[in-house]
């Protein structure tokens, strides 16, 4: 909203991707993309990239809608080396930007306490996770702040 408020020509789209526990397959639960997305440059934002599976699924969706790979700019707050390599190997023409590269984590996870970032940040509950999960009341980790523009 705030980006749209200062840049009126920007169109905002949304993609919601999830996976069932025990499965690595990503499912698109919701998408609402501009009708002319194929003619646009796309800023694809995902706060955390561990292995890159969710980002890969989102990029595949954009490509299926006619977006040129070289017109995709992927932005994250934190990305693991494994995730970065996976994305750039699969999609060598995208541009990738991250605020921090997490080189200390194991291949399958990002920084401790960062997990479930989307559910915690947006206050949503994934239907495949515990119904006891509550939205976070404080920042996810030291130094991670609300990035509203």
């Amino acid at each position: 909203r705030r980006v749209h408020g200062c840049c009126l020509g920007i169109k905002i789209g949304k993609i919601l991707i999830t996976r069932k526990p025990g499965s690595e397959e990503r499912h698109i639960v919701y998408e609402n993309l501009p009708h002319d997305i194929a003619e646009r440059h796309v800023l694809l934002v995902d706060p955390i990239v561990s292995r890159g599976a969710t980002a890969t699924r989102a990029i595949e969706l954009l490509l299926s809608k006619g977006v040129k790979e070289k017109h995709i700019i992927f932005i994250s707050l934190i990305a693991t080396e494994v995730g970065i390599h996976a994305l750039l190997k699969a999609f060598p023409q995208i541009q990738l930007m991250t605020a921090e590269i997490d080189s200390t984590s194991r291949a399958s996870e990002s920084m401790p306490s960062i997990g479930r970032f989307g559910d915690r940040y947006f206050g949503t509950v994934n239907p495949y996770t515990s119904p006891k999960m509550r939205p976070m009341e404080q920042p996810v980790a030291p130094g991670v702040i609300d990035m509203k523009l």
Side-chain angles (χ1 to χ4, degrees):
R1 256 187 177 173
R2 290 182 172 98
V3 172
H4 190 261
C6 72
C7 304
L8 297 177
I10 290 179
K11 292 187 179 179
I12 307 291
K14 296 180 181 177
I15 305 169
L16 175 60
I17 299 173
T18 190
R19 71 175 174 92
K20 292 181 182 178
S23 168
E24 292 305 314
E25 188 176 344
R26 299 310 197 257
H27 301 277
I28 296 174
V29 177
Y30 174 81
E31 69 169 275
N32 183 4
L33 301 172
H35 65 88
D36 61 346
I37 195 163
E39 286 80 50
R40 294 184 165 270
H41 284 78
V42 176
L43 297 177
L44 179 60
V45 181
D46 189 4
I48 308 296
V49 176
S50 282
R51 288 173 281 181
T54 302
T56 295
R57 185 66 187 101
I59 294 169
E60 289 171 349
L61 174 66
L62 293 174
L63 295 175
S64 76
K65 300 289 183 180
V67 176
K68 294 178 181 167
E69 186 176 316
K70 66 183 180 178
H71 288 176
I72 298 171
I73 302 169
F74 183 84
I75 302 170
S76 73
L77 293 176
I78 301 170
T80 65
E81 291 177 352
V82 170
I84 292 169
H85 290 294
L87 286 175
L88 293 177
K89 182 177 180 184
F91 310 105
Q93 294 182 41
I94 69 167
Q95 294 180 55
L96 188 146
M97 291 184 256
T98 187
E100 183 170 338
I101 298 174
D102 176 12
S103 59
T104 62
S105 295
R106 294 181 299 210
S108 63
E109 57 189 49
S110 56
M111 295 175 124
S113 80
I114 291 294
R116 313 265 2 124
F117 181 92
D119 288 335
R120 294 159 74 177
Y121 182 81
F122 294 109
T124 59
V125 176
N126 182 317
Y128 302 112
T129 61
S130 168
K132 295 180 181 178
M133 189 166 71
R134 303 276 188 269
M136 283 202 51
E137 296 177 4
Q138 297 187 9
V140 174
V144 177
I145 58 170
D146 187 348
M147 300 292 288
K148 293 179 181 171
L149 301 175

